[in-house]
Amino acid sequence: MSLFLRLGAEERVKEAAAMVCWALRRVGLARAHLARKASGVCRGHEHQPLGPRPAAPGAPGSAVELLGKSYPQDDYSNLTRKVLSKVGRNLHNQPQHPLWLLKERVKQHFYAQYPGRAGTPLFSVYDDLSPVVTTWQNFDSLLIPADHPSRKKGDNYFLNATHMLRAHTSAHQWDLLRAGLDAFLVVGDVYRRDQIDAQHYPVFHQLEAVRLFSRHQLFAGIKDGENLQLFEQSSRSAHKQETHTLEATKLVEFDLKQTLTRLMTHIFGDGLDVRWVDCYFPFTHPSFEMEINFHGEWLEVLGCGVMEQQLVNSAGAQDRMGWAFGLGLERLAMILYDIPDIRLFWSQDERFLKQFRVPDINQKVTFQPLSKYPAVINDISFWLPRENYTENDFYDLVRTIGGDLVEKVDLIDKFEHPKRGKCGADCYIETRIRLQ
């Protein structure tokens, strides 16, 4: 797999690459053997642990201490030291950080465009909610089926079987609706186990919005609106839910798309070409992805849709229907500021941060590269267990050892021993990766 290592000097790059190669060889061997028999001895050689490690998941009395609370570990616990170190950083709340700039631009737009009663903002903003949620909040409250692939342990960070780091800001939707809110923005850090490249990182930031409408609000100003209804009992189609009237669905969809078109125009400027792609989300129907044409290229920027009425009803808002959307702040900021690598958002290098200290949050900023040094390439190979292993396990190991030196990981070759490959769960597959 390819690890692009970019540092301030070529000597440090070579040194770091050698360190990562050495560590990955040791961890790869140790991890493969542990998966087979949980032993510290591999082919007759003892492997000492690479620095301090937390107690093994499920060990009696072991717990994860996070944000002032203690969470007992079990077989689901899979947080790494690397990910734990990011909790509480809250980049979106650090003044003059590029993610903060973008969040403030979105807030500014919603405050100006959608005033509420007595001139106060219609949309409430929540940007400091705890990233620790229950699995019910993250999945069940959003109607995500029990067998949905997004629930996999290999794709999420669990503190234990009942608590996790949120995989999306939608985990707070139900609670805020239950509290009686009908228009709000939620901004926060979210956590997903993922591949290693310039576009993916185990922690990123989302901005979510929800708006509900009563019958009076939705049909106000519509000719013969007093005769129109939000709800009916019919059948579900590609265009609407079984409990929604087609008229209500089309009006909510129109308001959603108009809201998002105005937002993207505010961020990227007038004359922006937009298109909508039908898609599927468990918590909205119909659902769409919004794409914008930026510098001649179509880019997907967010997902959205008409909220599932079952979700809205369960939160106590049975007399209303609405829309929701969610976007990734890093993705938008990378497009807007021409930032080529998602790792840069975590940089504390003054050369990066000072580029975004601007007097006006709407001021145009174009990122200037920090380093002129080329990539360093190294290949390594090691044995992997046949079972109880996912690619994301390896990505977490790489990030824990290589840190933010690692830009990209690519599998370039795989070898299965012709004899060992037939002996069951204790067999190993040799994998060759490239550190670049």
Side-chain angles (χ1 to χ4, degrees), residues 63-71 84 87-88 130-132 159:
V64 176
E65 301 291 334
L66 188 61
L67 300 177
K69 293 185 178 181
S70 180
Y71 299 91
L84 281 172
V87 179
S130 172
V132 178
L159 284 85

Side-chain angles (χ1 to χ4, degrees), residues 135-376:
T135 52
W136 186 90
Q137 288 173 302
N138 199 79
F139 301 120
D140 301 279
S141 74
L142 296 166
L143 311 180
I144 296 175
D147 60 350
H148 196 274
S150 66
R151 288 178 176 258
K152 290 191 301 184
K153 179 180 176 181
D155 291 340
N156 298 283
Y157 287 106
F158 289 90
L159 284 85
N160 52 42
T162 60
H163 289 80
M164 64 186 294
L165 295 179
R166 63 190 170 208
H168 41 208
T169 48
S170 304
H172 302 287
Q173 249 185 45
W174 190 92
D175 293 303
L176 294 173
L177 291 173
R178 189 70 174 177
L181 298 174
D182 56 12
F184 54 83
L185 303 176
V186 180
V187 193
D189 44 337
V190 298
Y191 299 78
R192 295 182 193 172
R193 304 181 74 192
D194 215 332
Q195 65 200 75
I196 298 178
D197 58 35
Q199 306 293 322
H200 296 88
Y201 202 78
V203 193
F204 57 103
H205 297 76
Q206 283 188 341
L207 185 147
E208 170 125 353
V210 166
R211 185 176 185 185
L212 298 185
F213 299 88
S214 67
R215 176 174 171 271
H216 172 74
Q217 290 172 324
L218 188 61
F219 296 126
I222 301 296
K223 184 179 180 180
D224 298 325
E226 64 275 6
N227 298 320
L228 299 176
Q229 302 295 326
L230 294 179
F231 307 112
E232 67 178 9
Q233 288 302 321
S234 59
S235 58
R236 177 174 289 237
S237 71
H239 305 292
K240 70 177 211 64
Q241 299 172 37
E242 60 273 23
T243 57
H244 293 161
T245 65
L246 184 59
E247 295 85 0
T249 299
K250 289 302 180 183
L251 282 173
V252 171
E253 180 183 323
F254 175 79
D255 187 86
L256 168 64
K257 292 180 176 179
Q258 187 179 58
T259 298
L260 291 173
T261 301
R262 287 173 176 169
L263 174 61
M264 290 300 134
T265 299
H266 171 71
I267 293 174
F268 290 100
D270 294 329
L272 189 69
D273 289 330
V274 171
R275 69 184 182 190
W276 306 92
V277 180
D278 294 338
C279 65
Y280 165 78
F281 300 115
F283 30 83
T284 56
H285 181 78
S287 302
F288 313 96
E289 288 179 342
M290 183 185 192
E291 296 183 352
I292 64 171
N293 192 304
F294 192 69
H295 295 331
E297 182 180 0
W298 284 103
L299 303 170
E300 184 263 313
V301 292
L302 59 83
C304 61
V306 178
M307 295 181 69
E308 282 285 354
Q309 196 60 36
Q310 182 183 343
L311 189 164
V312 177
N313 290 349
S314 69
Q318 298 92 332
D319 61 336
R320 288 169 287 172
M321 63 180 291
W323 53 249
F325 76 80
L327 58 84
L329 287 178
E330 279 88 347
R331 180 162 180 77
L332 278 188
M334 290 174 79
I335 297 170
L336 183 65
Y337 301 127
D338 200 23
I339 298 174
D341 194 313
I342 195 170
R343 296 171 302 160
L344 286 165
F345 292 105
W346 296 90
S347 174
Q348 295 178 311
D349 191 321
E350 184 64 18
R351 294 173 299 167
F352 173 76
L353 297 174
K354 71 179 181 181
Q355 295 185 41
F356 300 93
R357 296 195 184 109
V358 293
D360 180 359
I361 61 174
N362 295 301
Q363 180 174 323
K364 180 177 173 59
V365 177
T366 301
F367 169 72
Q368 300 300 315
L370 307 181
S371 175
K372 62 182 180 181
Y373 293 98
V376 175

